[in-house]
Amino acid sequence: MTFQNTRDFAKQLDAQDHLAKYRDEFIFPKVDGKQVIYFTGNSLGLQPKRTKAYVDEVMEDWANLAVEGHFYAEKPWWDYHERFAEPLSKIVGAKPSEVTVMNTLTVNLHLLMVSFYRPQAKRYKILCEAKAFPSDQYMIQSQVRHHGYDPNDAIVEIHRREGEHNIRLEDILAKIKEVGEELAMVLIGGVNYYTGQVFDIRKITRAGHDAGAIVGWDLAHAAGNIKLELHDWDVDFAAWCSYKYMNSGPGNASGCFIHERHHADKDLNRFAGWWGHNKARRFKMEPDFDPVQGADGWQISNLPILTLAPYLASVEMFAAVGMEALIKKRDNITAYLEFILHEIDKEVDSTFEIITPSNPEERASQLSVFLHGEGRPLFEYLMKNGVITDWREPNVIRLAPVPFYCSYEDMYEFGQILKKGIIG
Ligand SMILES: Cc1ncc(COP(=O)(O)O)c(C=O)c1O
Protein backbone atom coordinates (compact mmCIF):
# COMPACT_ATOMS: atom_id res chain seq x y z
CA MET A 1 0.00 0.00 0.00
CA THR A 2 1.24 3.51 -0.76
CA PHE A 3 0.87 5.65 2.32
CA GLN A 4 0.25 9.38 2.46
CA ASN A 5 1.18 11.79 5.20
CA THR A 6 -2.19 13.51 5.38
CA ARG A 7 -4.97 13.56 7.93
CA ASP A 8 -7.51 12.51 5.30
CA PHE A 9 -5.49 9.45 4.38
CA ALA A 10 -5.04 8.47 8.04
CA LYS A 11 -8.78 8.88 8.60
CA GLN A 12 -9.44 6.69 5.60
CA LEU A 13 -7.29 3.94 7.15
CA ASP A 14 -9.20 4.30 10.41
CA ALA A 15 -12.49 3.99 8.55
CA GLN A 16 -11.34 0.68 7.05
CA ASP A 17 -9.96 -0.64 10.36
CA HIS A 18 -12.09 -3.49 11.78
CA LEU A 19 -10.52 -2.98 15.21
CA ALA A 20 -11.23 0.76 15.36
CA LYS A 21 -14.28 0.18 17.57
CA TYR A 22 -12.10 -1.22 20.36
CA ARG A 23 -10.39 2.15 20.84
CA ASP A 24 -13.51 3.28 22.62
CA GLU A 25 -13.22 0.38 25.05
CA PHE A 26 -10.11 1.89 26.65
CA ILE A 27 -9.63 4.85 28.97
CA PHE A 28 -7.11 7.39 27.69
CA PRO A 29 -5.44 9.94 29.96
CA LYS A 30 -5.82 13.56 28.91
CA VAL A 31 -3.33 16.40 28.57
CA ASP A 32 -4.85 19.89 28.49
CA GLY A 33 -8.26 18.28 28.18
CA LYS A 34 -7.29 16.33 25.06
CA GLN A 35 -6.99 12.55 24.79
CA VAL A 36 -3.31 11.59 24.55
CA ILE A 37 -1.54 9.69 21.80
CA TYR A 38 -0.46 6.66 23.79
CA PHE A 39 2.77 4.98 22.71
CA THR A 40 3.69 3.18 25.93
CA GLY A 41 1.47 0.12 25.83
CA ASN A 42 4.75 -1.81 25.74
CA SER A 43 5.33 -0.59 29.29
CA LEU A 44 1.85 -0.28 30.79
CA GLY A 45 -1.25 -0.94 28.72
CA LEU A 46 -4.29 1.32 29.00
CA GLN A 47 -7.17 0.40 31.27
CA PRO A 48 -10.07 -1.30 29.47
CA LYS A 49 -13.42 0.18 30.51
CA ARG A 50 -14.79 -3.30 31.27
CA THR A 51 -12.06 -4.01 33.85
CA LYS A 52 -13.73 -2.14 36.69
CA ALA A 53 -16.78 -4.43 36.53
CA TYR A 54 -14.53 -7.48 37.01
CA VAL A 55 -12.91 -5.91 40.08
CA ASP A 56 -16.24 -4.67 41.44
CA GLU A 57 -17.63 -8.17 41.16
CA VAL A 58 -14.90 -9.54 43.42
CA MET A 59 -15.34 -6.66 45.89
CA GLU A 60 -19.06 -7.31 46.05
CA ASP A 61 -18.68 -11.05 46.45
CA TRP A 62 -16.18 -10.45 49.21
CA ALA A 63 -18.57 -8.00 50.94
CA ASN A 64 -21.60 -10.24 50.59
CA LEU A 65 -20.11 -13.69 50.97
CA ALA A 66 -16.79 -13.23 52.77
CA VAL A 67 -15.11 -16.63 53.12
CA GLU A 68 -17.96 -18.34 51.29
CA GLY A 69 -16.82 -16.52 48.15
CA HIS A 70 -14.16 -19.19 47.69
CA PHE A 71 -16.91 -21.57 46.61
CA TYR A 72 -20.06 -19.51 46.04
CA ALA A 73 -18.87 -16.29 44.38
CA GLU A 74 -20.16 -15.51 40.90
CA LYS A 75 -16.77 -16.78 39.74
CA PRO A 76 -15.61 -18.92 42.68
CA TRP A 77 -12.17 -17.92 43.90
CA TRP A 78 -10.73 -21.36 44.60
CA ASP A 79 -10.50 -22.19 40.90
CA TYR A 80 -10.75 -18.64 39.48
CA HIS A 81 -7.38 -19.11 37.73
CA GLU A 82 -8.76 -21.97 35.66
CA ARG A 83 -10.75 -19.42 33.64
CA PHE A 84 -7.44 -18.31 32.12
CA ALA A 85 -6.40 -21.66 30.70
CA GLU A 86 -8.46 -21.55 27.51
CA PRO A 87 -8.03 -17.89 26.43
CA LEU A 88 -4.42 -17.64 27.55
CA SER A 89 -3.46 -20.85 25.78
CA LYS A 90 -4.74 -19.29 22.53
CA ILE A 91 -2.70 -16.14 23.04
CA VAL A 92 0.57 -18.02 23.51
CA GLY A 93 -0.11 -21.06 21.34
CA ALA A 94 -0.27 -23.73 24.01
CA LYS A 95 -2.51 -26.45 25.35
CA PRO A 96 -4.71 -25.20 28.20
CA SER A 97 -2.89 -27.47 30.66
CA GLU A 98 0.45 -25.86 29.72
CA VAL A 99 -0.38 -22.36 30.97
CA THR A 100 -1.02 -20.92 34.37
CA VAL A 101 -1.13 -17.56 36.13
CA MET A 102 0.71 -16.75 39.34
CA ASN A 103 3.11 -14.33 41.03
CA THR A 104 5.01 -11.77 38.96
CA LEU A 105 7.40 -12.19 36.07
CA THR A 106 10.84 -12.20 37.67
CA VAL A 107 9.58 -14.33 40.55
CA ASN A 108 8.25 -16.87 38.06
CA LEU A 109 11.48 -16.95 36.10
CA HIS A 110 13.27 -17.74 39.36
CA LEU A 111 10.77 -20.49 40.16
CA LEU A 112 11.09 -21.97 36.69
CA MET A 113 14.87 -21.92 37.02
CA VAL A 114 14.45 -24.10 40.11
CA SER A 115 12.97 -26.73 37.83
CA PHE A 116 14.90 -26.19 34.65
CA TYR A 117 18.37 -24.92 35.50
CA ARG A 118 20.05 -28.10 36.70
CA PRO A 119 23.74 -27.55 36.06
CA GLN A 120 26.02 -30.56 35.90
CA ALA A 121 29.78 -30.89 36.01
CA LYS A 122 30.30 -30.14 32.34
CA ARG A 123 26.96 -28.67 31.29
CA TYR A 124 26.33 -25.56 33.37
CA LYS A 125 26.35 -22.49 31.11
CA ILE A 126 23.42 -20.19 30.35
CA LEU A 127 23.24 -18.36 27.04
CA CYS A 128 21.43 -15.02 26.98
CA GLU A 129 21.36 -11.81 24.99
CA ALA A 130 23.82 -9.03 25.88
CA LYS A 131 21.95 -6.04 27.35
CA ALA A 132 18.95 -8.17 28.32
CA PHE A 133 16.38 -6.43 30.54
CA PRO A 134 18.23 -5.78 33.83
CA SER A 135 15.88 -7.90 35.92
CA ASP A 136 16.75 -10.91 33.74
CA GLN A 137 20.44 -10.20 34.11
CA TYR A 138 20.17 -9.99 37.91
CA MET A 139 17.98 -13.10 37.97
CA ILE A 140 20.41 -15.18 35.92
CA GLN A 141 23.46 -13.93 37.83
CA SER A 142 21.88 -14.79 41.16
CA GLN A 143 20.79 -18.22 39.90
CA VAL A 144 24.27 -19.22 38.75
CA ARG A 145 25.77 -17.90 42.00
CA HIS A 146 23.17 -19.87 43.93
CA HIS A 147 24.54 -23.02 42.26
CA GLY A 148 28.12 -22.03 43.13
CA TYR A 149 29.25 -20.76 39.72
CA ASP A 150 30.96 -17.56 38.72
CA PRO A 151 28.63 -15.49 36.48
CA ASN A 152 31.64 -14.42 34.39
CA ASP A 153 32.19 -18.04 33.46
CA ALA A 154 28.69 -19.52 33.52
CA ILE A 155 26.83 -16.77 31.64
CA VAL A 156 27.54 -16.47 27.94
CA GLU A 157 26.17 -13.35 26.29
CA ILE A 158 25.43 -12.97 22.60
CA HIS A 159 26.59 -9.57 21.41
CA ARG A 160 25.61 -7.28 18.61
CA ARG A 161 28.22 -6.81 15.94
CA GLU A 162 30.19 -3.56 16.01
CA GLY A 163 28.02 -0.72 14.66
CA GLU A 164 24.80 -2.83 14.62
CA HIS A 165 21.76 -2.36 16.84
CA ASN A 166 20.32 -5.85 16.60
CA ILE A 167 21.57 -9.35 17.23
CA ARG A 168 21.85 -11.55 14.17
CA LEU A 169 20.07 -14.89 14.28
CA GLU A 170 23.09 -16.54 12.69
CA ASP A 171 25.25 -15.29 15.59
CA ILE A 172 22.84 -16.76 18.15
CA LEU A 173 22.81 -20.12 16.38
CA ALA A 174 26.59 -20.10 16.04
CA LYS A 175 27.05 -19.29 19.73
CA ILE A 176 24.74 -22.13 20.73
CA LYS A 177 26.87 -24.53 18.67
CA GLU A 178 30.10 -23.08 20.06
CA VAL A 179 29.08 -23.52 23.71
CA GLY A 180 27.74 -26.97 22.74
CA GLU A 181 28.12 -29.57 25.46
CA GLU A 182 28.65 -26.94 28.13
CA LEU A 183 25.27 -25.39 27.45
CA ALA A 184 22.64 -26.06 30.13
CA MET A 185 20.12 -23.41 29.12
CA VAL A 186 19.23 -20.76 26.57
CA LEU A 187 17.16 -17.95 28.08
CA ILE A 188 16.34 -14.93 25.93
CA GLY A 189 13.65 -12.26 25.75
CA GLY A 190 11.30 -13.06 22.85
CA VAL A 191 11.18 -9.37 21.93
CA ASN A 192 14.02 -7.13 23.03
CA TYR A 193 12.69 -4.39 25.30
CA TYR A 194 15.04 -1.70 23.99
CA THR A 195 15.15 -2.26 20.24
CA GLY A 196 11.87 -4.11 19.73
CA GLN A 197 13.73 -6.87 17.83
CA VAL A 198 11.71 -10.08 17.62
CA PHE A 199 13.75 -13.26 17.92
CA ASP A 200 13.05 -16.44 16.01
CA ILE A 201 11.81 -18.51 18.93
CA ARG A 202 11.27 -21.65 16.86
CA LYS A 203 14.74 -21.77 15.32
CA ILE A 204 16.56 -20.80 18.50
CA THR A 205 14.63 -23.35 20.54
CA ARG A 206 15.45 -26.08 18.05
CA ALA A 207 19.15 -25.13 18.02
CA GLY A 208 19.23 -25.14 21.83
CA HIS A 209 17.67 -28.58 21.94
CA ASP A 210 20.11 -29.87 19.30
CA ALA A 211 22.89 -28.79 21.64
CA GLY A 212 21.21 -30.71 24.49
CA ALA A 213 20.05 -27.61 26.40
CA ILE A 214 16.77 -26.50 27.95
CA VAL A 215 15.28 -23.44 26.26
CA GLY A 216 13.20 -20.85 28.11
CA TRP A 217 11.84 -17.44 27.13
CA ASP A 218 11.02 -14.18 28.84
CA LEU A 219 7.95 -13.09 26.90
CA ALA A 220 7.31 -9.77 28.67
CA HIS A 221 7.26 -7.88 25.36
CA ALA A 222 5.93 -10.76 23.31
CA ALA A 223 2.73 -11.95 25.00
CA GLY A 224 -0.26 -10.27 23.39
CA ASN A 225 2.05 -8.73 20.81
CA ILE A 226 3.46 -11.44 18.56
CA LYS A 227 2.29 -14.76 17.22
CA LEU A 228 3.39 -17.48 19.60
CA GLU A 229 3.20 -21.24 19.11
CA LEU A 230 4.97 -22.28 22.29
CA HIS A 231 3.75 -25.88 22.23
CA ASP A 232 4.57 -26.56 18.59
CA TRP A 233 7.87 -24.73 18.80
CA ASP A 234 8.73 -27.12 21.61
CA VAL A 235 9.68 -24.38 24.08
CA ASP A 236 10.49 -25.84 27.50
CA PHE A 237 9.21 -22.97 29.60
CA ALA A 238 8.28 -19.31 29.34
CA ALA A 239 6.91 -16.52 31.50
CA TRP A 240 5.47 -13.09 30.80
CA CYS A 241 3.96 -10.14 32.58
CA SER A 242 0.42 -9.03 31.83
CA TYR A 243 0.63 -5.29 32.35
CA LYS A 244 2.15 -4.37 28.98
CA TYR A 245 0.30 -5.47 25.83
CA MET A 246 -2.21 -7.39 27.92
CA ASN A 247 -3.57 -4.33 29.73
CA SER A 248 -4.03 -5.93 33.15
CA GLY A 249 -2.84 -3.06 35.34
CA PRO A 250 0.38 -1.94 37.03
CA GLY A 251 2.67 -4.67 38.34
CA ASN A 252 0.03 -7.30 37.75
CA ALA A 253 0.31 -11.08 37.68
CA SER A 254 2.48 -13.10 35.39
CA GLY A 255 1.62 -16.03 33.15
CA CYS A 256 3.73 -19.15 32.68
CA PHE A 257 4.06 -21.86 30.11
CA ILE A 258 5.52 -25.27 30.88
CA HIS A 259 5.60 -27.77 28.04
CA GLU A 260 3.46 -30.83 28.71
CA ARG A 261 6.39 -33.21 28.33
CA HIS A 262 7.67 -31.90 31.68
CA HIS A 263 4.39 -32.20 33.56
CA ALA A 264 4.80 -35.74 34.80
CA ASP A 265 8.55 -35.57 35.36
CA LYS A 266 8.91 -36.41 39.04
CA ASP A 267 12.64 -35.68 38.94
CA LEU A 268 12.10 -31.99 38.33
CA ASN A 269 12.70 -29.92 41.41
CA ARG A 270 10.11 -27.36 42.25
CA PHE A 271 9.33 -25.13 45.17
CA ALA A 272 6.00 -26.49 46.26
CA GLY A 273 2.96 -25.00 47.94
CA TRP A 274 -0.58 -26.11 48.64
CA TRP A 275 -2.08 -24.48 45.53
CA GLY A 276 0.02 -26.74 43.31
CA HIS A 277 -1.27 -29.82 45.16
CA ASN A 278 -3.74 -32.29 43.65
CA LYS A 279 -6.93 -30.25 43.33
CA ALA A 280 -9.31 -33.00 44.45
CA ARG A 281 -7.30 -33.58 47.64
CA ARG A 282 -6.10 -30.04 48.41
CA PHE A 283 -8.39 -29.51 51.38
CA LYS A 284 -7.60 -32.88 52.91
CA MET A 285 -4.47 -31.16 54.24
CA GLU A 286 -2.23 -34.14 53.51
CA PRO A 287 1.46 -34.03 54.43
CA ASP A 288 2.93 -35.18 51.09
CA PHE A 289 2.95 -32.99 48.01
CA ASP A 290 1.21 -34.48 44.98
CA PRO A 291 1.42 -31.91 42.17
CA VAL A 292 -1.40 -31.10 39.79
CA GLN A 293 -0.49 -32.56 36.38
CA GLY A 294 0.01 -29.41 34.38
CA ALA A 295 1.38 -25.90 34.70
CA ASP A 296 -0.99 -25.31 37.65
CA GLY A 297 1.20 -27.76 39.55
CA TRP A 298 3.81 -24.99 39.77
CA GLN A 299 1.47 -22.68 41.69
CA ILE A 300 2.43 -22.14 45.29
CA SER A 301 -0.04 -19.88 47.08
CA ASN A 302 -3.75 -19.33 46.72
CA LEU A 303 -4.20 -16.62 44.13
CA PRO A 304 -4.75 -12.88 44.61
CA ILE A 305 -8.21 -12.68 43.07
CA LEU A 306 -8.36 -8.89 43.10
CA THR A 307 -5.35 -8.76 40.82
CA LEU A 308 -6.49 -11.63 38.64
CA ALA A 309 -9.80 -9.89 37.95
CA PRO A 310 -8.34 -7.20 35.63
CA TYR A 311 -6.14 -9.82 33.99
CA LEU A 312 -9.21 -11.97 33.28
CA ALA A 313 -11.01 -8.98 31.74
CA SER A 314 -8.01 -8.58 29.47
CA VAL A 315 -7.61 -12.21 28.33
CA GLU A 316 -11.32 -12.39 27.59
CA MET A 317 -10.96 -9.31 25.37
CA PHE A 318 -8.05 -10.91 23.56
CA ALA A 319 -10.08 -14.08 23.09
CA ALA A 320 -12.91 -12.08 21.52
CA VAL A 321 -10.64 -10.23 19.08
CA GLY A 322 -8.02 -12.91 18.38
CA MET A 323 -4.28 -12.50 17.86
CA GLU A 324 -4.58 -12.77 14.10
CA ALA A 325 -6.62 -9.58 13.74
CA LEU A 326 -4.39 -7.74 16.19
CA ILE A 327 -1.25 -8.79 14.34
CA LYS A 328 -2.67 -7.73 10.99
CA LYS A 329 -3.41 -4.22 12.24
CA ARG A 330 -0.15 -4.14 14.21
CA ASP A 331 1.88 -4.64 11.03
CA ASN A 332 -0.03 -2.02 9.10
CA ILE A 333 -0.05 0.68 11.76
CA THR A 334 3.63 0.09 12.56
CA ALA A 335 4.46 0.44 8.87
CA TYR A 336 2.43 3.66 8.76
CA LEU A 337 4.29 5.04 11.77
CA GLU A 338 7.59 4.13 10.12
CA PHE A 339 6.47 5.98 6.98
CA ILE A 340 5.45 9.06 8.99
CA LEU A 341 8.84 9.10 10.76
CA HIS A 342 10.67 8.97 7.42
CA GLU A 343 8.45 11.72 5.98
CA ILE A 344 9.06 14.05 8.92
CA ASP A 345 12.74 13.18 8.81
CA LYS A 346 12.88 14.58 5.28
CA GLU A 347 11.27 17.83 6.39
CA VAL A 348 13.44 18.62 9.42
CA ASP A 349 17.09 19.19 9.94
CA SER A 350 17.85 16.27 12.22
CA THR A 351 17.80 12.56 11.66
CA PHE A 352 15.83 9.81 13.27
CA GLU A 353 17.41 6.44 13.10
CA ILE A 354 14.92 3.65 13.61
CA ILE A 355 17.00 1.02 15.38
CA THR A 356 14.22 -1.58 15.28
CA PRO A 357 14.64 -3.99 12.35
CA SER A 358 12.84 -2.80 9.22
CA ASN A 359 11.98 -6.40 8.30
CA PRO A 360 8.37 -6.94 9.52
CA GLU A 361 9.30 -10.53 10.48
CA GLU A 362 11.77 -9.18 13.02
CA ARG A 363 9.67 -6.53 14.66
CA ALA A 364 6.24 -6.19 16.19
CA SER A 365 4.45 -3.31 17.87
CA GLN A 366 7.43 -1.12 18.68
CA LEU A 367 9.71 1.26 16.87
CA SER A 368 12.69 2.50 18.84
CA VAL A 369 13.99 5.75 17.47
CA PHE A 370 17.48 7.07 18.05
CA LEU A 371 17.28 10.87 17.99
CA HIS A 372 20.46 12.16 16.36
CA GLY A 373 20.86 15.87 17.00
CA GLU A 374 17.89 15.97 19.37
CA GLY A 375 17.79 15.02 22.99
CA ARG A 376 15.68 14.82 26.08
CA PRO A 377 14.06 18.26 25.51
CA LEU A 378 12.30 16.84 22.44
CA PHE A 379 11.00 13.93 24.50
CA GLU A 380 9.78 16.39 27.14
CA TYR A 381 8.12 18.51 24.47
CA LEU A 382 6.27 15.44 23.17
CA MET A 383 5.05 14.55 26.65
CA LYS A 384 3.85 18.13 27.30
CA ASN A 385 1.99 18.03 24.02
CA GLY A 386 0.07 14.87 24.70
CA VAL A 387 2.36 12.26 23.12
CA ILE A 388 3.06 9.66 25.78
CA THR A 389 6.28 7.87 24.92
CA ASP A 390 9.31 6.85 26.94
CA TRP A 391 12.93 7.77 27.07
CA ARG A 392 15.76 5.27 27.19
CA GLU A 393 19.36 6.34 27.60
CA PRO A 394 21.35 7.50 25.76
CA ASN A 395 18.99 9.00 23.19
CA VAL A 396 16.14 6.68 22.34
CA ILE A 397 12.37 7.07 22.41
CA ARG A 398 10.24 3.96 22.13
CA LEU A 399 6.97 4.15 20.24
CA ALA A 400 4.46 1.32 20.47
CA PRO A 401 1.42 1.88 18.23
CA VAL A 402 -0.63 -0.78 20.01
CA PRO A 403 -3.27 -2.10 17.59
CA PHE A 404 -5.99 -2.49 20.22
CA TYR A 405 -6.34 1.25 20.85
CA CYS A 406 -4.05 3.37 18.65
CA SER A 407 -5.47 4.97 15.53
CA TYR A 408 -3.89 5.83 12.21
CA GLU A 409 -4.85 9.43 12.82
CA ASP A 410 -2.78 9.25 16.02
CA MET A 411 0.24 8.45 13.84
CA TYR A 412 -0.41 11.40 11.55
CA GLU A 413 -1.02 13.74 14.49
CA PHE A 414 2.15 12.53 16.19
CA GLY A 415 4.16 13.38 13.07
CA GLN A 416 2.80 16.93 13.12
CA ILE A 417 3.60 17.41 16.82
CA LEU A 418 7.07 15.95 16.29
CA LYS A 419 7.77 18.29 13.40
CA LYS A 420 6.65 21.30 15.44
CA GLY A 421 8.85 20.17 18.33
CA ILE A 422 11.89 20.26 16.09
CA ILE A 423 11.40 23.21 13.81
CA GLY A 424 9.24 25.25 16.20
C1 LIG B 1 11.80 -8.02 29.39
C2 LIG B 1 11.41 -7.86 30.83
N1 LIG B 1 11.75 -8.80 31.72
C3 LIG B 1 11.43 -8.68 33.03
C4 LIG B 1 10.75 -7.58 33.50
C5 LIG B 1 10.46 -7.48 34.95
O1 LIG B 1 9.12 -7.68 35.24
P1 LIG B 1 8.56 -7.81 36.73
O2 LIG B 1 8.88 -6.51 37.43
O3 LIG B 1 7.07 -7.96 36.55
O4 LIG B 1 9.20 -8.95 37.38
C6 LIG B 1 10.35 -6.57 32.60
C7 LIG B 1 9.61 -5.39 33.08
O5 LIG B 1 9.33 -4.45 32.39
C8 LIG B 1 10.71 -6.71 31.23
O6 LIG B 1 10.39 -5.78 30.34
Side-chain angles (χ1 to χ4, degrees):
M1 183 186 294
T2 314
F3 291 134
Q4 293 170 25
N5 184 18
T6 65
R7 190 179 298 279
D8 279 351
F9 183 79
K11 280 186 163 174
Q12 211 177 303
L13 291 177
D14 282 326
Q16 292 160 3
D17 173 14
H18 297 302
L19 298 189
K21 59 178 186 280
Y22 286 100
R23 179 174 169 85
D24 197 39
E25 291 224 16
F26 289 87
I27 304 171
F28 285 75
K30 290 190 172 140
V31 169
D32 294 335
K34 207 175 147 222
Q35 189 166 303
V36 298
I37 297 168
Y38 197 72
F39 276 131
T40 43
N42 56 348
S43 183
L44 179 69
L46 290 179
Q47 184 183 135
K49 288 179 183 164
R50 67 176 76 182
T51 298
K52 197 167 174 302
Y54 282 66
V55 177
D56 286 349
E57 179 183 275
V58 180
M59 293 297 282
E60 276 185 28
D61 283 337
W62 176 25
N64 296 329
L65 299 167
V67 73
E68 300 252 86
H70 284 295
F71 298 103
Y72 301 112
E74 184 63 32
K75 301 185 183 86
W77 305 330
W78 86 290
D79 59 2
Y80 193 95
H81 59 274
E82 291 182 6
R83 293 168 185 272
F84 288 78
E86 200 59 49
L88 203 49
S89 68
K90 292 207 173 74
I91 297 170
V92 300
K95 295 190 174 180
S97 65
E98 291 175 317
V99 294
T100 194
V101 288
M102 58 186 196
N103 316 308
T104 46
L105 173 54
T106 310
V107 171
N108 281 340
L109 288 172
H110 273 297
L111 292 174
L112 291 164
M113 294 291 268
V114 169
S115 296
F116 294 107
Y117 180 51
R118 290 164 294 160
Q120 287 151 18
K122 188 155 184 212
R123 197 182 275 285
Y124 62 96
K125 293 191 175 173
I126 302 181
L127 191 77
C128 62
E129 57 189 314
K131 298 194 193 156
F133 190 81
S135 198
D136 289 8
Q137 296 184 46
Y138 310 150
M139 185 275 294
I140 296 173
Q141 288 160 12
S142 61
Q143 283 286 336
V144 300
R145 274 201 200 95
H146 174 69
H147 286 277
Y149 295 96
D150 173 2
N152 292 322
D153 173 41
I155 302 174
V156 180
E157 293 189 334
I158 312 149
H159 292 271
R160 288 148 187 85
R161 294 190 190 183
E162 191 64 33
E164 296 186 9
H165 294 295
N166 296 293
I167 299 178
R168 294 193 192 192
L169 174 64
E170 68 210 73
D171 291 350
I172 300 177
L173 302 181
K175 195 52 112 181
I176 289 174
K177 267 208 172 130
E178 183 190 313
V179 183
E181 289 182 357
E182 290 184 337
L183 191 62
M185 176 177 285
V186 178
L187 181 52
I188 303 182
V191 178
N192 181 268
Y193 80 100
Y194 185 77
T195 61
Q197 179 182 14
V198 175
F199 291 104
D200 191 326
I201 296 179
R202 186 176 59 85
K203 284 195 183 142
I204 295 168
T205 301
R206 190 186 301 151
H209 288 165
D210 287 347
I214 287 279
V215 184
W217 292 88
D218 172 347
L219 299 178
H221 286 260
N225 179 22
I226 67 170
K227 181 175 166 57
L228 294 166
E229 292 291 350
L230 298 181
H231 176 85
D232 288 349
W233 295 342
D234 217 19
V235 164
D236 290 290
F237 71 91
W240 54 89
C241 53
S242 58
Y243 43 79
K244 298 178 188 291
Y245 293 98
M246 297 190 55
N247 313 314
S248 77
N252 209 345
S254 165
C256 295
F257 165 88
I258 297 153
H259 199 284
E260 70 176 352
R261 70 173 167 280
H262 298 300
H263 293 177
D265 184 350
K266 294 243 188 297
D267 293 335
L268 280 187
N269 276 334
R270 68 178 99 181
F271 286 166
W274 73 316
W275 228 251
H277 186 74
N278 181 333
K279 189 180 162 189
R281 310 182 63 81
R282 185 175 300 145
F283 292 97
K284 296 198 183 301
M285 303 305 192
E286 298 161 332
D288 294 324
F289 181 60
D290 171 22
V292 175
Q293 291 282 303
D296 285 352
W298 270 260
Q299 290 183 339
I300 296 179
S301 296
N302 82 99
L303 290 142
I305 304 301
L306 278 168
T307 82
L308 289 195
Y311 192 3
L312 186 61
S314 157
V315 295
E316 291 187 349
M317 257 180 114
F318 271 83
V321 178
M323 284 307 296
E324 208 175 308
L326 286 164
I327 287 170
K328 200 163 161 224
K329 176 170 173 190
R330 177 202 75 187
D331 286 347
N332 209 38
I333 197 168
T334 307
Y336 190 53
L337 173 62
E338 183 183 40
F339 164 80
I340 296 282
L341 282 163
H342 289 318
E343 287 299 293
I344 302 300
D345 202 20
K346 285 185 217 154
E347 293 181 40
V348 298
D349 202 16
S350 58
T351 46
F352 313 131
E353 186 187 354
I354 301 176
I355 63 173
T356 308
S358 54
N359 173 6
E361 300 287 309
E362 283 185 82
R363 72 178 188 203
S365 188
Q366 177 179 326
L367 294 181
S368 298
V369 184
F370 199 101
L371 302 171
H372 292 286
E374 299 288 339
R376 218 182 145 92
L378 178 61
F379 160 72
E380 279 157 12
Y381 173 87
L382 291 172
M383 294 292 280
K384 269 201 209 100
N385 285 276
V387 177
I388 309 300
T389 169
D390 67 10
W391 175 262
R392 287 285 176 270
E393 296 295 340
N395 226 12
V396 165
I397 56 168
R398 300 186 306 167
L399 307 166
V402 174
F404 238 136
Y405 45 72
C406 289
S407 70
Y408 291 91
E409 194 176 357
D410 281 347
M411 304 305 114
Y412 169 78
E413 184 67 22
F414 160 67
Q416 297 305 302
I417 297 171
L418 181 65
K419 184 161 78 178
K420 212 161 165 212
I422 298 170
I423 58 181

